[in-house]
Each structure stands twice: as structure tokens, then as C-alpha cells.
Amino acid sequence: MTRAHRVMGKVREAMRRRPAFLGRIDEIVLFQKLDQSQLEQIVRLMLGASPLALRHARSPSR
């Protein structure tokens, strides 16, 4: 059984008392947990973009 099937089974189980809500779910997107190095890379990218965004926001509009 795939991870997606297990998740959908859990959703069905949780929504057993609310079948109308379950019918509204079109798709479930599964994400993999980020590891420490991936989180650090995201933080570095975001912090590196911050000064540029601040400079752009402070520059006079033309």
C-alpha cells in the first residue's frame, strides 16, 4: 500500500461522519519533510533576499 493510499484511508476514516465534506476533496498533495540542511538553505536564501527587497522598497518610485 502506498503512502497516498494510507493517507486517503485516514482521511476517509476521519470524515466518516461528514461525507459531504469528503466529496469536496479533489486532491491530496503529500510533501516530504525537509531536513536541517534544506531548511538552512531556505533561510539563507530568504535572508539574502531581504536586503535587496528593502533597498527596492526604499528607492523612490519613478
Side-chain angles (χ1 to χ4, degrees):
M1 181 181 282
T2 66
R3 183 172 170 227
H5 285 106
R6 287 193 305 271
V7 169
M8 196 58 197
K10 293 286 186 183
V11 170
R12 282 194 184 99
E13 189 178 307
M15 296 295 141
R16 191 170 286 157
R17 295 183 182 163
R18 297 192 221 171
F21 182 74
L22 182 61
R24 294 177 185 214
I25 297 175
D26 294 329
E27 185 176 4
I28 295 177
V29 178
L30 301 177
F31 294 92
Q32 293 180 355
K33 184 177 178 179
L34 298 174
D35 64 26
Q36 186 68 30
S37 66
Q38 291 168 321
L39 289 171
E40 289 172 1
Q41 185 179 3
I42 291 169
V43 169
R44 277 194 298 276
L45 289 169
M46 292 180 75
L47 290 175
S50 295
L52 180 61
L54 285 173
R55 273 182 270 152
H56 182 68
R58 290 180 181 168
S59 67
S61 299
R62 293 179 184 204

